[in-house]
Amino acid sequence: MKTKLHIFKVVANHLSFTKASEQLFLSQPAVSKTIRNLEETYKITLFLRKRNSIELTSEGKAFLIYVNKILEIYAAMKHQFLHQNKTFPNIINFGVSTTVANYIIPKVIAKFRTQFPKIKFEITSGNSDDVEDLILNQKLNFGIIEGKNTNRKLQFKEFIKDEIVLVTNVKNNAFKKDVISLKELQEIPIILREMGSGTKEIIFEYLNKHQIKKLNTVVTLNSTEAIKNYLFNSDNYAFMSIHAISEELINNKLKIIDVKDLNIERWFYFVSRTGYQSNLMDYFEKYTLNIYNF
């Protein structure tokens, strides 16, 4: 519930689903769905939807007062129980998958070192399979990865939800209204990540549910940044994490192509060996979750 209240507050502050989605690193449909869920839960209308804008209803304004009070209580709890003086090792090392390494964990570490400036970090990044292998071989104790939580030798805990969207160069106008069918998806030139990529794995898991076994893959690259740079110079397409393209969407370099009847969502997970216990790991997980207000 805290997550939904936070999303509502951001929308109320901006009075814009678009700006709220950019700040929250969520898709606009996901933000709109959250607001609808709140309205259905409390049997009220929170916003008046106009042609090019929204505004809070009287009930929405009253709801915002309660939301602010609730989130203030959460913040007070965080300060009281999470931000106490802690003793940590001089160096904290863990593993992260590529998307997390590039677009999520830097923010967490920067804030952590503001509070604990003497702590140093050694971060090992790679695709999800690589990080899992390092943890299983006890070269790392824990990490944050994308993909599926299927290995019984590892324990997984949900971190944040991600959405994988189809994107292309903003100048690509091949499809009216930027919408394509599942049949058209199989025909367009696609850029994919390498084998072992958590993103690639989850994409084909969803495609298989629609009896799609193969895409028209024209290039395979081993990093999200490489794919983005390719798209800047072509009219090809790629599936990418919404977290990875927020700046490009804001700066009008890439755009999302909606695929009818296809909605790809996944979780980023905290991962460690099954049975592994660590006060440091527990604290870092709680700290990271609070950074993202989840």
Side-chain angles (χ1 to χ4, degrees):
M1 178 55 69
K2 180 187 173 186
T3 303
K4 293 181 179 179
L5 297 181
H6 176 67
I7 291 173
F8 165 76
K9 181 176 180 178
V10 174
V11 175
N13 287 342
H14 287 292
L15 290 178
S16 167
F17 289 111
T18 301
K19 291 181 180 179
S21 66
E22 291 170 356
Q23 178 179 330
L24 293 162
F25 298 106
L26 295 172
S27 69
Q28 187 170 328
V31 172
S32 299
K33 182 179 179 181
T34 298
I35 300 302
R36 287 197 302 273
N37 287 343
L38 285 172
E39 291 177 325
E40 291 170 0
T41 299
Y42 292 98
K43 310 301 181 186
I44 57 176
T45 300
L46 296 170
F47 295 97
L48 289 175
R49 279 80 165 174
K50 298 184 177 181
R51 184 175 182 180
N52 295 314
S53 65
I54 60 173
E55 65 180 51
L56 282 165
T57 63
S58 58
E59 291 176 317
K61 292 175 182 178
F63 192 79
L64 180 59
I65 293 173
Y66 283 102
V67 167
N68 285 332
K69 290 179 179 179
I70 293 169
L71 293 179
E72 284 174 6
I73 292 172
Y74 274 113
M77 291 172 62
K78 172 182 172 182
H79 178 77
Q80 177 67 28
F81 298 108
L82 185 60
H83 287 175
Q84 302 177 34
N85 290 328
K86 299 287 181 179
T87 301
F88 298 113
N90 293 330
I91 299 176
I92 297 176
N93 64 316
F94 59 95
V96 289
S97 59
T98 307
T99 301
V100 179
N102 288 335
Y103 309 105
I104 295 175
I105 206 62
K107 173 183 177 181
V108 176
I109 294 175
K111 288 186 176 292
F112 193 97
R113 293 198 70 256
T114 299
Q115 185 178 349
F116 305 104
K118 294 183 179 180
I119 303 300
K120 298 179 181 179
F121 284 85
E122 290 183 355
I123 308 301
T124 301
S125 64
N127 66 42
S128 296
D129 288 348
D130 293 337
V131 175
E132 287 189 8
D133 287 342
L134 289 170
I135 293 172
L136 287 170
N137 293 326
Q138 300 188 36
K139 294 181 180 179
L140 292 172
N141 289 323
F142 66 94
I144 306 175
I145 67 168
E146 57 208 75
K148 297 188 297 183
N149 57 338
T150 54
N151 192 325
R152 295 184 178 181
K153 295 181 179 180
L154 297 170
Q155 55 191 11
F156 298 83
K157 184 183 296 184
E158 291 177 348
F159 171 26
I160 57 174
K161 185 174 283 189
D162 183 34
E163 183 179 2
I164 299 174
V165 293
L166 185 68
V167 297
T168 189
N169 191 310
V170 73
K171 297 178 182 178
N172 183 356
N173 296 314
F175 297 98
K176 292 182 178 180
K177 298 183 179 180
D178 294 332
V179 178
I180 65 172
S181 65
L182 287 170
K183 180 180 178 181
E184 290 169 321
L185 174 64
Q186 299 173 71
E187 300 169 352
I188 59 175
I190 293 283
I191 315 302
L192 282 180
R193 285 281 304 276
E194 79 288 358
M195 292 298 297
S197 161
T199 301
K200 184 175 183 178
E201 182 180 6
I202 199 72
I203 289 167
F204 278 96
E205 177 186 338
Y206 274 80
L207 292 177
N208 284 334
K209 294 177 181 178
H210 293 277
Q211 287 73 52
I212 298 175
K213 305 296 183 182
K214 186 178 180 181
L215 295 175
N216 178 26
T217 306
V218 295
V219 178
T220 300
L221 295 170
N222 65 355
S223 77
T224 300
E225 288 301 306
I227 292 176
K228 285 196 288 188
N229 283 316
Y230 185 99
L231 293 179
F232 295 156
N233 296 281
S234 79
D235 283 339
N236 292 172
Y237 303 79
F239 281 105
M240 307 187 79
S241 163
I242 195 72
H243 290 274
I245 59 169
S246 57
E247 290 297 322
E248 287 73 23
L249 294 177
I250 293 171
N251 294 324
N252 207 33
K253 292 184 177 180
L254 297 177
K255 64 180 178 180
I256 296 174
I257 302 296
D258 183 34
V259 184
K260 292 179 182 178
D261 303 317
L262 184 66
N263 182 32
I264 304 178
E265 293 182 337
R266 63 172 174 186
W267 283 91
F268 293 126
Y269 294 98
F270 296 108
V271 59
S272 59
R273 292 183 299 281
T274 299
Y276 177 77
Q277 300 292 327
S278 165
N279 289 333
L280 170 62
M281 180 182 71
D282 291 344
Y283 180 83
F284 192 76
E285 287 180 4
K286 292 176 183 176
Y287 188 94
T288 305
L289 286 167
N290 273 274
I291 290 295
Y292 278 85
N293 295 302
F294 284 83

